[in-house]
Amino acid sequence: MTVKKNFAGYMLIELVLCTGLVWGISAYTGTACEQFIGFMSILNLIMFIFMLNRIKHEILSIASLFVVFMYLFNLGIPIARLLNWVDDTGERFLARRIYSMGNDTFIQYMIYGYLLISMLQIGVLFYFGRMKKSSTEYVDWSNANYNIQLQRCKITGMICILISIVPYFYGEIVYLKDALIFGYQNADSTFNLSGTGIGLIGNLFTVGVMLELVYLQNDRKKFDFLFFVLSAYQVFRMYITGDRSTGIALILVWILIRHKFVNPIQGKRAVLYLFLAYVGMLFIKIVEMTRTINSSSVDEAFAELMQTNMLAETVFEYGGNAWCGMMVYYSVPATGSFRCGLTYLAGIIGKPLSILGITNNVWNFADFSIFLKEPARGALINSLTSAMGGSFSGEWYFNFGWLGIIIIPFFGYGLAKFSDLCTSKKNNPVLSGFLLYVATLVIWWVRQYFTSVSWSTLVYGVIVWIIYYVVVKKTSE
């Protein structure tokens, strides 16, 4: 009864906040309007974290990370404006990218993003509030059946690694070399989440690593050693190539595995991890400052860091991704039609049709960047599409428009269920390892496309299923 009362109270507060935003926005203009949205965004995020604590659910989860990144990538600019974190360089960026589509378009899209995240939170908390037991419940390591499953997880992971190790490191070496010679912007990465060929085979290495980390859940020393080596390589990779998204997503999930399966982050350790997160933000800034041919030297970068507000830099930089979703908002329905969820279906069936040589149109239909580059969108949008990345909220709007605000709680419920399933110790460890790999794609789906999630999930899901059930399980029975 208490959980139901808590959730009912939260829903009421959330609806009040949403109503207050919509009604209150008319009282402000210009930067004051942005600051108001930033204030409401911070308040809403605090309420979400408070409710997670209230229903006794851990804050660190895939669903929670997704929600936090949604704030960062969609409402980062209003938050930065509220905290006076927009400098002259930021103003020039806003004028060139954001305000070029009109201040009204920007404010309307910020309102859409706020309402979308609010309803997403309701779905997430509805699922978490209904959970009767925590997924981190005690597991009896002496249980013979579970130990057998762990051994099968180890073997499955090793097979994945052996199949992919040569293509993976070949692709990595080529990518690192190209980044050093030509600069990160001109390097052709074979690590392509929606790719084929060597990139697709090589990426199975990451799946195998996830399975091995889950296998080591009851051997802390070996887990920590592998965790350190893998994280160090990802840090090195980020610095050389400028590819931050891959490394950030992987390290976050590895931390989650350690927290859920090996040693929970509690008390003083939580403070340590917050400090490490800040150090990570400093490093990411160095990457951003030194990742192009004409960039600052490392010494110059460190000197500049001493005068930099790192949190401000991070919030504003990632908040700039809102321009990607804004372009969709600007173009639909003005110059195109909503997709009614069909891009998600196209993202599942489009790649096989393309590989078989039947048609590329279905796969292209799933990618709204192709839609934005069409001449029918107009010269303004065509000129803004360079290096725009992706956007979950933009993709959601592309499919459902403002109706998506009503639909998103169902997605939030499913996201929370997926989040819980990833780290449930009731699972077969092989399933947990694979789902945790998928979780790296889901986390970065915030600023990517569904095609980045669907294709890899389908391909590696089939491969892991074949290895486990056809090879490992049958030979061990």
Side-chain angles (χ1 to χ4, degrees):
M1 183 63 69
T2 302
V3 171
K4 290 182 179 179
K5 286 182 178 179
N6 284 336
F7 181 73
Y10 172 76
M11 278 196 65
L12 179 60
I13 293 172
E14 197 65 67
L15 292 175
V16 169
L17 289 175
C18 291
T19 304
L21 178 80
V22 174
W23 283 358
I25 208 77
S26 60
Y28 301 95
T29 58
T31 57
C33 188
E34 295 178 31
Q35 290 172 339
F36 176 66
I37 296 173
F39 170 76
M40 296 295 287
S41 300
I42 292 175
L43 182 60
N44 207 349
L45 178 57
I46 291 172
M47 282 301 305
F48 176 70
I49 295 172
F50 172 79
M51 277 304 300
L52 285 175
N53 183 65
R54 183 76 174 176
I55 63 177
K56 303 187 184 306
H57 192 278
E58 293 181 330
I59 295 173
L60 183 57
S61 69
I62 299 301
S64 301
L65 288 170
F66 189 91
V67 169
V68 170
F69 279 169
M70 282 289 285
Y71 276 103
L72 187 61
F73 284 101
N74 291 279
L75 298 168
I77 291 176
I79 293 173
R81 182 71 80 179
L82 172 70
L83 301 173
N84 198 28
W85 285 348
V86 183
D87 57 15
D88 292 340
T89 302
E91 292 288 2
R92 288 193 293 271
F93 169 81
L94 292 174
R96 185 176 68 254
R97 289 285 186 179
I98 302 297
Y99 299 149
S100 62
M101 288 173 273
N103 290 53
D104 289 344
T105 301
F106 173 60
I107 296 300
Q108 289 169 19
Y109 189 68
M110 291 300 98
I111 295 172
Y112 178 80
Y114 181 92
L115 297 178
L116 192 72
I117 297 170
S118 297
M119 297 301 106
L120 171 67
Q121 290 176 174
I122 287 177
V124 169
L125 287 171
F126 182 67
Y127 175 82
F128 284 156
R130 292 179 69 249
M131 291 171 54
K132 294 182 179 179
K133 292 184 180 180
S134 172
S135 60
T136 56
E137 62 186 16
Y138 173 76
V139 171
D140 183 4
W141 299 118
S142 64
N143 184 288
N145 182 55
Y146 193 77
N147 283 324
I148 290 173
Q149 291 178 348
L150 282 175
Q151 288 298 322
R152 290 173 178 173
C153 180
K154 173 187 177 182
I155 297 170
T156 305
M158 288 304 301
I159 293 174
C160 290
I161 290 172
L162 289 174
I163 291 173
S164 60
I165 190 168
V166 173
Y168 177 79
F169 281 104
Y170 171 78
E172 288 291 282
I173 290 169
V174 170
Y175 185 36
L176 292 171
K177 184 180 71 173
D178 286 352
L180 287 170
I181 296 174
F182 304 111
Y184 100 98
Q185 291 176 322
N186 300 307
D188 183 18
S189 172
T190 53
F191 188 92
N192 191 333
L193 296 180
S194 59
T196 55
I198 187 173
L200 193 64
I201 298 172
N203 208 23
L204 186 62
F205 181 87
T206 307
V207 181
V209 165
M210 289 293 179
L211 294 171
E212 292 305 307
L213 285 171
V214 172
Y215 159 70
L216 291 173
Q217 60 187 266
N218 57 344
D219 193 332
R220 181 176 169 181
K221 289 184 178 180
K222 289 183 180 179
F223 180 96
D224 284 347
F225 175 76
L226 183 58
F227 174 82
F228 174 78
V229 171
L230 293 170
S231 298
Y233 174 71
Q234 288 302 320
V235 169
F236 169 77
R237 187 181 187 276
M238 278 191 275
Y239 181 73
I240 297 297
T241 67
D243 176 12
R244 294 170 290 176
S245 59
T246 300
I248 290 171
L250 287 171
I251 292 172
L252 282 174
V253 171
W254 294 338
I255 291 173
L256 181 65
I257 294 174
R258 193 182 190 282
H259 170 65
K260 293 287 189 178
F261 290 99
V262 182
N263 192 20
I265 301 172
Q266 297 174 343
K268 294 180 180 179
R269 281 196 297 271
V271 177
L272 174 62
Y273 273 84
L274 288 174
F275 171 75
L276 292 175
Y278 184 77
V279 172
M281 289 166 59
L282 290 174
F283 175 78
I284 290 169
K285 179 59 181 177
I286 294 177
V287 171
E288 186 246 326
M289 293 166 62
T290 62
R291 59 196 256 177
T292 60
I293 295 175
N294 298 319
S295 61
S296 307
S297 67
V298 175
D299 290 340
E300 292 171 336
F302 273 111
E304 185 174 336
L305 276 178
M306 301 303 294
Q307 305 175 5
T308 298
N309 183 335
M310 190 49 52
L311 190 58
E313 290 277 353
T314 302
V315 170
F316 184 80
E317 180 188 356
Y318 287 138
N321 180 254
W323 114 67
C324 176
M326 274 185 65
M327 287 191 288
V328 182
Y329 186 85
Y330 183 84
S331 302
V332 181
T335 65
S337 59
F338 295 109
R339 294 301 193 249
C340 302
L342 293 177
T343 68
Y344 299 113
L345 176 62
I348 295 173
I349 67 175
K351 197 68 174 184
L353 294 176
S354 177
I355 292 174
L356 293 172
I358 298 174
T359 178
N360 290 323
N361 292 334
V362 176
W363 183 251
N364 292 341
F365 181 84
D367 188 340
F368 70 75
S369 69
I370 295 175
F371 167 83
L372 293 175
K373 293 174 183 177
E374 294 173 354
R377 308 289 82 79
L380 172 62
I381 295 300
N382 293 161
S383 68
L384 292 173
T385 54
S386 175
M388 69 176 185
S391 168
F392 174 87
S393 61
E395 190 173 52
W396 194 264
Y397 179 84
F398 190 41
N399 281 278
F400 307 114
W402 285 87
L403 181 64
I405 295 170
I406 300 174
I407 301 172
I408 197 72
F410 297 99
F411 171 82
Y413 185 91
L415 174 66
K417 187 171 184 178
F418 166 78
S419 177
D420 185 49
L421 191 61
C422 283
T423 54
S424 173
K425 291 182 180 178
K426 296 177 181 178
N427 283 344
N428 184 314
V430 175
L431 176 61
S432 292
F434 174 69
L435 290 179
L436 285 161
Y437 165 74
V438 176
T440 64
L441 310 180
V442 171
I443 287 174
W444 219 248
W445 186 15
V446 170
R447 61 148 298 165
Q448 275 290 351
Y449 301 87
F450 180 66
T451 52
S452 301
V453 181
S454 60
W455 175 236
S456 295
T457 300
L458 287 171
V459 171
Y460 300 128
V462 170
I463 292 174
V464 170
W465 185 88
I466 291 173
I467 292 173
Y468 178 74
Y469 283 101
V470 177
V471 179
V472 176
K473 192 173 181 181
K474 284 193 174 181
T475 56
S476 62
E477 288 179 346

